[in-house]
Structure formats: C-alpha cells, structure tokens
Amino acid sequence: MNQSLPQDVLDQIAVEERHFAEAPQAFFEAWKRGAEIAGPEWFGDGTPEGLQRATSKWDLRPKVLLLNDALNVLSGGQRMFLSAMVSFYNAREGGAMLKRCGFEGLSDLGGLDLERRQVIADLVLNYSGW
C-alpha cells in the first residue's frame, strides 16, 4: 500500500531541507559578522587581514585561552557576546565563560544591542555543529 504524505508536510520538509543545506554558509557569515563586531584580535590569527581572508568558520576559531584571560577586563556586553560566541565553538568552555559573566538564561542576552542580538540569533538558527 502506497500512502503519500500531505502536500503541506512535503512542503515543510522541502523548506527545512533547503534551510539546513544553506545553514553552514549562513552560520559562517553570521560568525564572521560577530568577529568583525567583537574585533579580529579574538579570532583566527588575530589580524584584520586574517578576518578578511577567512573562508570558513575554521579560519576564525575563537582564541579561547586569550578570551578567558581577558574576560575580567572586557565590558559586560563584550563579555556576554564573546562568551555566547565561544559557546557555539566549545559548549563547556563557553558555558563556563557565560557563568563567569553571570549568565543565567537566554533572557540575559536581552542586554545586548540589536546588532549583537542578530548575530546570536543567526548563529542559533543556522548552527549545524562545529
């Protein structure tokens, strides 16, 4: 017996397949925007040129040790934003950094400006693993 799925289900499957096929590139573009906002010194080779040359998220891995050392001297918003970004790269390290920032839940991201919120939202929407 051949039963087909309803058209709305097939349409939704197609939408999701398309989204997740495009997600890695969208994630990289959001990640690169985040690195530009936060500053290239925290990512990849730490240079503006390295940021511009980057072609994948691997080229812009966060400098986790440097960030951990600098966490106490950054502004509250910068700490929260960078820690949230690190959490996509390494959940354990990023989670520990967020805890040091006083992060208790997603509503704490409400202290970020619109530009940073958009980066985090796009990272969440397009995350498909590191």
Side-chain angles (χ1 to χ4, degrees), residues 3-13:
Q3 290 183 335
S4 62
L5 295 172
Q7 188 59 47
D8 62 329
V9 172
L10 294 172
D11 292 345
Q12 184 60 37
I13 290 170

Side-chain angles (χ1 to χ4, degrees), residues 62-75:
K63 296 179 164 200
V64 177
L65 294 176
L66 181 65
L67 283 164
N68 262 317
D69 289 344
L71 207 56
N72 292 331
V73 297
L74 297 171
S75 72

Side-chain angles (χ1 to χ4, degrees), residues 60-118:
L60 296 175
R61 289 182 297 241
K63 296 179 164 200
V64 177
L65 294 176
L66 181 65
L67 283 164
N68 262 317
D69 289 344
L71 207 56
N72 292 331
V73 297
L74 297 171
S75 72
Q78 190 77 330
R79 279 195 308 265
M80 186 70 69
F81 182 62
L82 283 163
S83 297
M85 286 189 69
V86 168
S87 71
F88 288 97
Y89 174 70
N90 182 310
R92 180 174 290 138
E93 289 289 333
M97 290 171 67
L98 284 164
K99 188 173 183 177
R100 284 177 55 199
C101 296
F103 180 86
E104 293 184 25
L106 292 175
S107 65
D108 289 333
L109 295 173
L112 298 177
D113 64 17
L114 180 59
E115 186 177 36
R116 286 167 179 78
R117 286 184 191 198
Q118 187 64 58

Side-chain angles (χ1 to χ4, degrees), residues 3-78:
Q3 290 183 335
S4 62
L5 295 172
Q7 188 59 47
D8 62 329
V9 172
L10 294 172
D11 292 345
Q12 184 60 37
I13 290 170
V15 166
E16 291 192 21
E17 285 178 342
R18 202 167 32 256
H19 170 81
F20 288 109
E22 297 169 359
Q25 182 61 32
F27 180 89
F28 169 65
E29 291 169 10
W31 186 265
K32 191 171 183 177
R33 280 194 336 266
E36 288 170 349
I37 292 167
E41 63 271 18
W42 307 114
F43 300 91
D45 71 4
T47 67
E49 298 78 23
L51 179 63
Q52 295 309 310
R53 279 192 313 269
T55 58
S56 81
K57 63 187 177 188
W58 294 102
D59 297 330
L60 296 175
R61 289 182 297 241
K63 296 179 164 200
V64 177
L65 294 176
L66 181 65
L67 283 164
N68 262 317
D69 289 344
L71 207 56
N72 292 331
V73 297
L74 297 171
S75 72
Q78 190 77 330

